Structure formats: structure tokens, C-alpha cells
Amino acid sequence: MRTRQIGEFSVSSIGLGCMSLSFAYGDVPDTEYGAKLLHEALDTGYTMLDTAALYGNGANETLIGETLKARRNDYMLASKCGISKNEEGVRTINGKPSEIRKVCEESLRLLQTDVIDLYYLHRLDFTIPIEESVGTLSELVTEGKIRSIGLSEMSAETIRRAHAVHPISAVQSEYSLWTRNPEIAVLDTCKDIGAAFVAFSPLARAFLTGTLQDPQSLPDGDLRYGMPRFEPENYQKNLELLEEYANLAEESGCSMAQLALAWLLAKDDHIIPIPGTKNIDHMRENAGADAVTLSEEVIVCLDQLINQKTVHGSRYNAAAQSKIDTEEFA
């Protein structure tokens, strides 16, 4: 794959989101298959792996640490702090300095490494000034435990406040044809401060692959059950968008998944999508999007076909959205 820049790191233009190997989408693959996928991803050309302390409560970091400790120099490692379980075992957003340090030390142990290349604050803790949380991350940079700082799901205003404390190398948020919120302000803010924008769920949680026809068939525990866009009435309306979308993929000589990723890559050179998958064939297919060149006509058609005005249902329900600092369309 071609490369793009995150701070001092040159990484593959498409990174690998590792979450689904341990968390969030129902059944997870066994350790042997997950390890095989990670090794083959590096062999395929992925040089950025994205994980978090949250994913499987350390299981994802453990998988990466055990599997790739002998290949640590082959990839840029990104992980996240800021979402933890409290004493009652309830998942909470926690940006306190003491918690950030505690989680970082545990992540270093599980990942079996001396340093994390890119360390994100996973969510904004509304009870703690962002300057305080980022100040602690800055101390971890000085101490050599992390190399650079990122933010996840935060607004342009918060990003600028954080950047005033310490340079922010990357901002991660959901971005795809059907989730355009970063276009309100965050994409431009990243450009202004020299940060990469890392797009998670670039395939719209499988919607843009064309392989998910009935969200009610998803396994128990799949987080999409709680998302309004995947409710039956909304989803059936959203599926109507895919007929023309599939035609555009065929016209462009690529799969539907590759079309979604190629659209993101064409948007700007500071954007790095990180599709996740539990399937080795899909991982290789996603990497192939780097070789897809879209015509201006196709890009215009895509922008008009699937956007915040044509998609039915909100990204998150009201309770989930209230805990996120990102801008929303009216």
C-alpha cells in the first residue's frame, strides 16, 4: 500500500482496526484465527494496528501482544485510554490523570512493549478539563511510555484546546459516506493543526459492503442492535441506497467495500481509514482499495447518493450521543 503520515510515522494508507477480533460484533474468532489474521495483515502491507484497553477488557491488547511481540518493529501501534470499569464493574468514561496512568501501564504490559506509538484519549470526560487529561498524556510522552497523542470522538473546540497543551498527532472519529459529522469542523481542524484524521467504521459497520441485508440476523450482543440506523424500518429504507451504490462500484471496477474506502482516500491525504474485520479475505479485500482510483464523476455521485440527508436514522441513540463530544448536524 501507499503511505500516509501520522506525526513522525509513515503508515499504510489503510490501517487495521482490531476491535472486532475481541469485542462488539457478537461472536469473536478463536485466538489461533485472530493471530493468523494479524500476521497476514502485516504480510499484506498494513503497518498501522488500532486497539484499545476497552476492547474485550484487555483481550484485544493481549492478542496483539502475544501474537506480534516478535514483529513489534513491523507496525505502528495505536491504543486508547479513557474508558474504564469502575469499582462496581460499570463501564465509565474516565479521564483522570491517575486512571490514565494506570491504564497505560496495564496496556504496556498486555501489549508486551516498552512504548505505544500513538495513544488516544478514547472519549472526553466532561468532568475533567481536557487540558488536565492531555497534560498527563504529555508527561507519558516525556517519560518515553508513549510517542504521540491522539484524541477520539472529540469536537473541533476540544481538539484545539488539547493541541495548545501538546501537539495532537491524530484524531479518530467515525467517518464514512453515511456518517459525515467530521465534515462539520473536525476535518478542517485536523488539517489546520497538522493532525491525521483516522476514520473508524469506514464501511458503515458493514452496511456499505452490501453483505448485511437483515440486521435482525446479527448475533446476540452485537452493538448494532442499539443503533437507530439498524432498526428494521430505517434499515430497509437505507438498503434502497445500495442499488445505485453497487452500480458505481461495478463502474469503478471494485467491490462495494473498496468503493467506500477509496472514497475516503480520495477526500484528502490526511485521512486514514481503519476498517476492522474478523475475516482474512475481507482484510485483504480492504487493502486492495488503495489501488482503486475513482473518477470525479463517481465521487460526485457518491456524495449525492449517500449523505446525512439521505440516510435514515441517527448514528447513536440519544443516551449514547450525550456522552460524545462530536458535532452533530441539525
Side-chain angles (χ1 to χ4, degrees), residues 3-314:
T3 60
R4 295 194 169 186
Q5 205 70 22
I6 297 182
E8 66 183 90
F9 301 100
S10 178
V11 301
S12 54
S13 64
I14 300 170
L16 181 68
C18 299
M19 179 180 76
S20 60
L21 294 175
S22 309
F23 176 71
Y25 294 113
D27 298 334
V28 298
D30 61 38
T31 300
E32 183 179 356
Y33 187 87
K36 182 179 180 182
L37 188 149
L38 289 173
H39 276 298
E40 294 203 18
L42 297 187
D43 295 341
T44 299
Y46 289 90
T47 61
M48 176 188 177
L49 303 184
D50 181 275
T51 183
L54 172 67
Y55 302 160
N57 296 320
N60 202 240
E61 291 181 323
T62 299
L63 174 65
I64 292 172
E66 285 289 338
T67 302
L68 300 178
K69 56 189 173 185
R71 302 185 68 176
R72 181 63 184 87
N73 294 328
D74 293 347
Y75 64 95
M76 192 210 78
L77 173 63
S79 192
K80 309 176 194 73
C81 63
I83 304 181
S84 307
K85 286 191 174 182
N86 61 21
E87 294 177 356
E88 289 74 39
V90 178
R91 196 173 78 188
T92 58
I93 296 172
N94 192 333
K96 294 179 181 178
S98 59
E99 187 67 14
I100 288 173
R101 285 187 166 277
K102 175 185 172 183
V103 173
C104 182
E105 292 292 346
E106 179 67 0
S107 291
L108 288 168
R109 184 183 72 82
L110 296 179
L111 290 163
Q112 301 191 41
T113 185
D114 295 328
V115 61
I116 297 169
D117 299 317
L118 174 62
Y119 203 45
Y120 292 95
L121 187 62
H122 208 155
R123 293 289 187 274
L124 176 64
D125 184 340
F126 290 104
T127 70
I128 303 291
I130 187 63
E131 291 83 357
E132 191 172 333
S133 298
V134 172
T136 300
L137 292 172
S138 181
E139 292 170 2
L140 292 174
V141 173
T142 301
E143 294 163 16
K145 294 178 179 179
I146 66 175
R147 289 196 170 105
S148 58
I149 297 173
L151 303 174
S152 179
E153 291 277 60
M154 298 194 193
S155 66
E157 179 185 357
T158 300
I159 294 165
R160 291 187 184 279
R161 286 172 54 195
H163 188 68
V165 176
H166 188 280
I168 300 301
S169 295
V171 175
Q172 182 173 144
S173 245
E174 183 174 355
Y175 187 37
S176 68
L177 280 161
W178 85 342
T179 297
R180 302 295 194 93
N181 303 58
E183 295 176 0
I184 299 172
V186 168
L187 287 177
D188 286 342
T189 298
C190 288
K191 195 83 168 176
D192 289 346
I193 67 172
F197 180 88
V198 177
F200 76 76
S201 297
L203 302 178
R205 305 183 192 274
F207 170 71
L208 291 170
T209 68
T211 60
L212 180 60
Q213 294 298 308
D214 179 15
Q216 296 305 108
S217 67
L218 293 169
D220 293 342
D222 192 296
L223 57 74
R224 286 169 286 190
Y225 278 117
M227 295 180 172
R229 290 177 180 175
F230 290 91
E231 293 173 358
E233 184 176 350
N234 285 331
Y235 200 75
Q236 286 305 309
K237 293 176 181 176
N238 290 330
L239 282 176
E240 295 174 7
L241 301 170
L242 291 186
E243 182 176 354
E244 179 58 26
Y245 179 78
N247 292 336
L248 291 169
E250 183 176 2
E251 177 184 332
S252 301
C254 64
S255 70
M256 293 168 71
Q258 289 171 337
L259 182 65
L261 296 171
W263 175 82
L264 278 168
L265 292 174
K267 277 292 177 180
D268 212 317
D269 59 10
H270 73 303
I271 296 173
I272 302 170
I274 51 166
T277 182
K278 298 182 280 187
N279 183 293
I280 290 174
D281 290 337
H282 293 168
M283 174 272 293
R284 293 194 184 110
E285 176 187 348
N286 294 340
D290 178 69
V292 176
T293 300
L294 301 181
S295 69
E296 287 298 323
E297 181 182 9
V298 166
I299 292 171
V300 170
C301 288
L302 288 170
D303 279 325
Q304 294 175 346
L305 178 65
I306 304 176
N307 57 62
Q308 71 277 9
K309 295 180 180 179
T310 64
V311 170
H312 291 264
S314 56

